[in-house]
């Protein structure tokens, strides 16, 4: 693993420009509104989270899988690969890269089937349609599109370092960690370095808990405008959640979503 973020492929190749994201999404945003697009990505990020938890993966693995998923669609339309197939493929690849251990494709598929049937029945009326060969093909395509840049730096480690400096506070740690998890439902992991995301999430947690650490934040040598931009992404997510009823809305969104043509053929 690259020991220095600034020398890594994450920094050199995978911190994207917002205008590039908008341009790459033009096809999908001709069919979906920006809010609908975001709602779909919230749904599939939640799917990755549930799948990872069912497989008893560490949060770092789940976060890396989510970043792979978002990176792929930062360069590709939703019509290229069904997100229902790409999501578990990202989970399987992330478990290898993060040295959690290889998850067998049969276990991955059976867990997907269980999750779709028991946890996502409000979204899907049919069974999980993919098999081992679909996952294997999808993984090759994913690796090609990621340009084999598989090391992802997450905000969790810088968050822990920041909390050590600010003084141990279990309540603040717990909430800031959850805000980092929430940030994966936005584009910030594609646009900003993880240490800036960590600072923003910690700041949001301080505000929610009415913890006054303004002097400590003022002494940090960071680009405050960038921190504020990240905070706006996360706060906008919180505002969206207030009116977003996923169980009610997602079925229509999935029907409207651009789809692969022809759809991948199931194999027995």
């Amino acid at each position: 693993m690259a020991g220095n973020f600034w020398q890594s492929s994450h920094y050199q190749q995978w911190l994207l420009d917002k205008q590039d994201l908008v341009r790459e999404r033009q096809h999908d945003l001709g069919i979906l509104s920006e809010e609908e697009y975001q709602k779909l990505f919230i749904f599939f990020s939640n799917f990755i989270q549930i799948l990872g938890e069912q497989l008893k993966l560490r949060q770092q693995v789940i976060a890396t899988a989510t970043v792979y998923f978002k990176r792929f669609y930062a360069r590709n339309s939703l019509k290229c690969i069904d997100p229902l197939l790409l999501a578990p493929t990202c989970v399987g690849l992330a478990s290898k890269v993060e040295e959690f251990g290889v998850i067998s494709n049969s276990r991955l598929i059976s867990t997907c089937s269980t999750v779709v049937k028991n946890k996502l029945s409000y979204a899907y009326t049919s069974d999980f349609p993919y098999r081992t060969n679909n996952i294997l093909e999808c993984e090759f395509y994913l690796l090609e599109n990621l340009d084999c840049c598989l090391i992802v730096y997450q905000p969790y480690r810088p968050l822990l370092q920041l909390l050590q400096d600010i003084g141990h506070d279990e309540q603040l740690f717990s909430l800031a960690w959850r805000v980092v998890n929430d940030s994966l439902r936005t584009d910030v992991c594609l646009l900003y370095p993880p240490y800036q995301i960590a600072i923003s999430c910690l700041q949001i947690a301080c505000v929610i808990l009415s913890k006054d650490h303004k002097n400590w934040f003022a002494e940090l040598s960071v680009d405050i405008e960038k921190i504020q931009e990240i905070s706006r992404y996360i706060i906008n997510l919180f505002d969206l959640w207030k009116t977003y009823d996923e169980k009610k809305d997602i079925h229509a969104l999935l029907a409207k979503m651009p789809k692969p043509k022809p759809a991948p053929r199931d194999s027995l």
Side-chain angles (χ1 to χ4, degrees), residues 46-60:
N46 291 344
F47 175 40
I48 289 171
Q49 184 75 36
I50 295 167
L51 184 57
E53 289 172 357
Q54 292 293 309
L55 290 164
K56 296 182 168 50
L57 304 181
R58 290 183 290 109
Q59 183 58 34
Q60 175 90 11

Side-chain angles (χ1 to χ4, degrees), residues 28 31-44 78 82-83 122-124 240 243-259:
D28 291 347
I31 298 167
L32 301 161
S33 69
E34 284 197 30
E35 185 173 296
E36 289 172 333
Y37 187 88
Q38 186 179 6
K39 286 177 177 178
L40 281 167
F41 274 79
I42 290 171
F43 171 76
F44 285 110
L78 287 160
D82 183 356
Y122 61 89
Y124 295 103
L240 178 63
T243 59
Y244 177 29
D245 185 343
E246 185 173 274
K247 292 189 176 182
K248 179 181 174 184
D249 297 345
I250 196 62
H251 196 73
L253 288 174
L254 290 169
K256 188 177 180 182
M257 181 182 74
K259 295 174 181 62

